[in-house]
């Protein structure tokens, strides 16, 4: 026996896990509804994924394989820190490969590779209430969800069209889950919204500061709000990824110099790496190889 | 005098509770499928293994539970008090969880806590031990978590279950959620599931 005092498995105490687990089960039973839970202080600041971390800590077991991404990347501070956190407090295996992971915690992207049955995607959510910027009072937004009164959201989208000629919302684009609750998909680019629709994977959302958990079970309708004459559209990119040549993926702009040079590369680093390993080469990837 | 033999809890409380929870999560996320409930609690004579594992995994001093008549005995109340600290209530409408032993009648769904329109999550979850999850009359489910349809045939549901479940579904987002347990397996029926053929 190790005599040195240690953390409980996955950091949280068992009573907290039970409370969060009960909230998750209710969230799964009522897709898109935000279940209040008693969020705990975590050893990281709010805004760094305390909600997602608490959800992950409550579901993770010794046999799970964890992947953490931040804006699609496995190698940014937030992703590396959370992966190291669970490797330390839960001794779980971690990975950067989407296909190998059983639990994927994400900040603001959905992996490009299609998720499979049995995988769980855990979102870090800053503001879970899609109506919050339209109606600041919780008592009112709760009533609006209860009465399925979502006219205000359509007015907001309409005002976008009146002002810009199109729906200008590009991330945290509101969706309707199973024809009932309007839900904030967290600040993922709207490019990812179609991936939520009838996904094979279970999707769990944790908002630590705001004390809310919600869920979308597999095979559940997730429809982006739109109008008949202004249908929902995802972003389109003119060029393929500069490193791997991928098309139909979400790209990040990378500034190369101070003379306006830039390139667009896959936001999903694992997807990009796998493609390059498989021999796909983009415009700038070739140059790199020739050096 | 109350016996002090309450029955054993989980051998490894942290890992066993996590494994059981994942079975419940998979069961409710994939309604009508059977998930292995790896409960290592032996329960007691009056309390089956599956119900004991559910109690240990989901209830604590923050929850209220209702026990069906066969469970409403000192041995089970001792198990509940000693291992979980949950308070036992006499009305399913006041319970977060209702536990129903093999052979006991399930409380009428409408008599349980159905939650409110503002807080539908405050409803009762009913955990029922049934004789078997296969071999009964076939019901076909549709809803979130189900690709097209899912056929189930649990044994031991009330005769008017289809009508009761239909009423429960009509209340959505209010309504109860159901976990059926038998033979080391659990099957979930969240309120979002519809019975389309009976």
């Amino acid at each position: 026996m190790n005599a040195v005092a240690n953390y409980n498995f996955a950091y949280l105490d068992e009573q907290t896990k039970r409370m969060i687990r009960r909230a998750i089960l209710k969230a799964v039973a009522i897709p898109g509804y935000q279940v209040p839970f008693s969020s705990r202080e975590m050893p990281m600041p709010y805004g760094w994924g305390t909600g997602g971390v608490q959800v992950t800590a409550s579901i993770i077991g010794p046999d799970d394989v964890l992947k953490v991404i931040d804006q699609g990347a496995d190698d940014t501070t937030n992703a590396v820190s959370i992966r190291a956190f669970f490797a330390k407090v839960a001794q779980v295996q971690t990975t950067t490969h989407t296909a190998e992971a059983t639990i994927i915690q994400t900040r603001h992207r959905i992996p490009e590779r299609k998720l499979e049955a049995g995988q769980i995607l855990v979102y870090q959510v800053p503001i879970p209430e899609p109506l919050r910027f339209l109606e600041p009072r919780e008592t009112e937004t709760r009533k609006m969800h209860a009465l399925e009164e979502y006219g205000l959201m359509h007015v907001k989208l309409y005002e976008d069209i009146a002002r810009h000629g199109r729906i200008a919302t590009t991330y945290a684009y509101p969706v309707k889950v199973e024809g009932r609750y309007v839900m904030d998909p967290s600040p993922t680019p709207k490019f990812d919204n179609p991936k939520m629709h009838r996904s094979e994977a279970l999707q769990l959302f944790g908002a630590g500061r705001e004390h809310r958990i919600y869920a979308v079970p597999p095979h559940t309708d997730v429809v982006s709000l739109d109008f008949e004459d202004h249908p929902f559209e995802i972003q389109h990119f003119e060029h393929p990824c500069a490193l791997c040549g991928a098309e139909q993926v979400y790209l990040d702009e990378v500034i190369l110099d101070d003379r306006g040079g830039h390139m667009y590369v896959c936001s999903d680093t694992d997807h990009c790496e796998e493609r390059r390993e498989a021999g796909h080469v983009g415009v700038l990837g070739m140059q790199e190889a020739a050096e | 005098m109350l016996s002090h033999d309450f029955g054993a809890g989980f051998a490894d409380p942290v890992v066993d509770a996590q494994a059981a929870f994942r079975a419940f999560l998979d069961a409710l996320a994939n309604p009508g499928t059977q998930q292995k409930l790896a409960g290592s609690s032996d329960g007691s004579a009056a309390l089956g293994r599956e119900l004991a594992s559910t109690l240990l995994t989901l209830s604590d001093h923050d929850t209220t539970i209702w026990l069906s008549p066969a469970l409403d005995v000192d041995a089970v109340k001792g198990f509940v008090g000693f291992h979980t600290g949950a308070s036992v209530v006499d009305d399913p409408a006041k319970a977060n969880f209702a536990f129903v032993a093999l052979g006991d009648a399930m409380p009428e769904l409408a008599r349980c806590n159905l939650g409110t329109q503002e807080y539908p999550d405050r409803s009762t979850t009913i955990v029922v031990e049934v004789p078997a999850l296969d071999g009964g009359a076939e019901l076909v489910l549709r809803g979130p978590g189900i690709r097209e349809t899912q056929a189930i045939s649990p044994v031991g549901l009330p005769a008017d279950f289809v009508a009761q479940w239909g009423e429960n579904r009509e209340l959505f987002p209010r309504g109860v959620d159901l976990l059926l347990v038998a033979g080391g397996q659990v099957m979930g029926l969240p309120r979002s599931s519809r019975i389309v053929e009976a």
Side-chain angles (χ1 to χ4, degrees):
Chain A
M1 275 296 283
N2 185 356
V4 179
N6 214 337
Y7 291 110
N8 186 32
F9 176 81
Y11 186 78
L12 293 174
D13 60 278
E14 290 301 298
Q15 202 274 326
T16 297
K17 285 188 201 166
R18 273 192 299 273
M19 174 269 297
I20 294 174
R21 286 167 180 168
R22 289 192 293 262
I24 293 173
L25 294 184
K26 285 299 180 192
V28 167
I30 319 166
Y33 166 74
Q34 302 163 48
V35 182
F37 81 109
S38 175
S39 180
R40 300 295 194 241
E41 291 281 335
M42 296 302 284
M44 61 185 71
Y46 288 129
W48 287 75
T50 55
V53 166
Q54 289 179 78
V55 169
T56 300
S58 302
I59 63 175
I60 202 164
D63 299 332
D64 278 310
V65 180
L66 179 70
K67 171 183 162 84
V68 184
I69 52 173
D70 173 6
Q71 304 276 13
D74 294 281
D75 54 3
T76 56
T77 308
N78 199 206
V80 172
S81 306
I82 293 172
R83 219 164 40 234
F85 175 74
F86 281 109
K88 180 174 181 180
V89 299
Q91 299 90 44
V92 291
Q93 198 189 329
T94 60
T95 183
T96 59
H97 299 300
T98 304
E100 289 172 8
T102 56
I103 298 173
I104 304 170
Q105 183 171 328
T106 175
R107 175 174 176 272
H108 313 349
R109 270 313 307 281
I110 300 174
E112 304 291 356
R113 173 189 280 269
K114 195 168 176 287
L115 298 180
E116 287 162 20
Q119 289 185 307
I120 302 178
L121 188 59
V122 178
Y123 296 74
Q124 301 170 201
V125 182
I127 311 277
E129 178 51 73
L131 304 167
R132 184 59 70 233
F133 291 109
L134 307 172
E135 170 52 66
R137 288 167 295 180
E138 168 68 14
T139 47
E140 291 303 304
T141 52
R142 187 159 287 279
K143 202 167 282 170
M144 289 158 79
H145 282 295
L147 300 174
E148 213 176 338
E149 176 51 68
Y150 296 125
L152 204 55
M153 184 58 91
H154 278 101
V155 170
K156 191 257 176 200
L157 296 176
Y158 168 73
E159 284 182 350
D160 265 9
I161 295 170
R163 200 169 297 161
H164 307 288
R166 64 196 161 80
I167 297 176
T169 307
T170 54
Y171 65 95
Y173 191 104
V175 294
K176 196 164 208 184
V177 181
E178 204 61 27
R180 177 58 178 84
Y181 282 99
V182 165
M183 184 187 93
D184 184 343
S186 86
T188 52
K190 65 178 180 177
F191 181 89
D192 285 338
N193 278 19
K195 294 180 194 161
M196 307 179 79
H197 180 59
R198 304 197 76 88
S199 166
E200 297 268 338
L202 169 63
Q203 302 172 76
L204 302 176
F205 300 75
R209 181 184 48 211
E210 302 289 325
H211 300 208
R212 295 291 184 275
I213 286 171
Y214 51 105
V216 176
H219 311 299
T220 299
D221 287 341
V222 179
V223 179
S224 303
L225 300 181
D226 61 359
F227 298 100
E228 276 176 21
D229 53 344
H230 285 271
F232 172 77
E233 284 178 343
I234 59 171
Q235 290 99 335
H236 290 284
F237 298 91
E238 287 175 14
H239 305 288
C241 169
L243 296 179
C244 77
E247 296 181 31
Q248 315 295 327
V249 296
Y250 194 74
L251 301 178
D252 285 338
E253 183 182 10
V254 177
I255 307 292
L256 296 175
D257 52 39
D258 59 0
R259 296 185 300 277
H262 63 144
M263 66 172 179
Y264 290 96
V265 298
C266 286
S267 139
D268 184 337
T269 52
D270 173 55
H271 183 74
C272 199
E273 278 166 21
E274 282 186 0
R275 279 180 55 85
R276 277 179 282 155
E277 274 169 25
H280 296 279
V281 184
V283 186
L284 293 172
M286 283 231 275
Q287 288 176 355
E288 192 180 336
E291 276 172 12
Chain B
M1 199 179 143
L2 194 65
S3 159
H4 290 285
D5 182 12
F6 301 131
F10 282 134
D12 187 343
V14 174
V15 173
D16 292 346
Q18 188 273 338
F21 165 71
R22 282 290 276 274
F24 300 137
L25 179 62
D26 287 341
L28 286 170
N30 304 279
T33 61
Q34 297 181 27
Q35 306 291 337
K36 188 172 187 305
L37 187 54
S40 65
S41 165
D42 289 336
S44 63
L47 185 67
R49 290 173 62 97
E50 295 86 358
L51 289 184
S53 300
T54 314
L55 261 167
L56 293 168
T57 305
L58 297 176
S59 60
D60 54 35
H61 57 78
D62 280 345
T63 56
T64 49
I65 62 172
W66 179 85
L67 299 170
S68 71
L71 297 175
D72 200 7
V73 294
D74 282 347
V76 177
K77 285 197 266 194
F79 180 93
V80 169
F82 180 75
H83 289 293
T84 75
S87 33
V88 177
V89 293
D90 55 6
D91 181 355
K94 295 177 188 156
N96 300 123
F97 293 94
F99 289 89
V100 183
L102 191 62
D104 272 349
M106 194 189 297
E108 272 178 53
L109 304 185
R111 273 190 57 226
C112 295
N113 187 347
L114 301 170
T116 64
Q117 202 69 14
E118 279 83 7
Y119 292 96
D121 56 301
R122 293 181 181 174
S123 64
T124 307
T125 302
I126 309 176
V127 188
V128 187
E129 189 177 9
V130 293
L133 294 176
D134 293 305
E138 185 173 280
L139 306 173
V140 179
L141 305 178
R142 259 183 198 280
I146 301 170
R147 187 191 300 272
E148 292 292 333
T149 58
Q150 174 76 40
I152 60 168
S153 52
V155 181
L157 294 176
D160 63 345
F161 179 76
V162 174
Q164 283 196 48
W165 192 257
E167 286 169 22
N168 189 59
R169 184 63 186 75
E170 280 306 302
L171 296 171
F172 191 87
R174 298 166 68 215
V176 299
D177 306 306
L178 199 57
L179 291 168
L180 303 176
V181 295
Q185 306 276 325
V186 57
M187 176 188 285
L189 255 81
R191 70 194 75 180
S192 56
S193 290
R194 240 174 237 288
I195 297 176
V196 290
E197 281 173 46

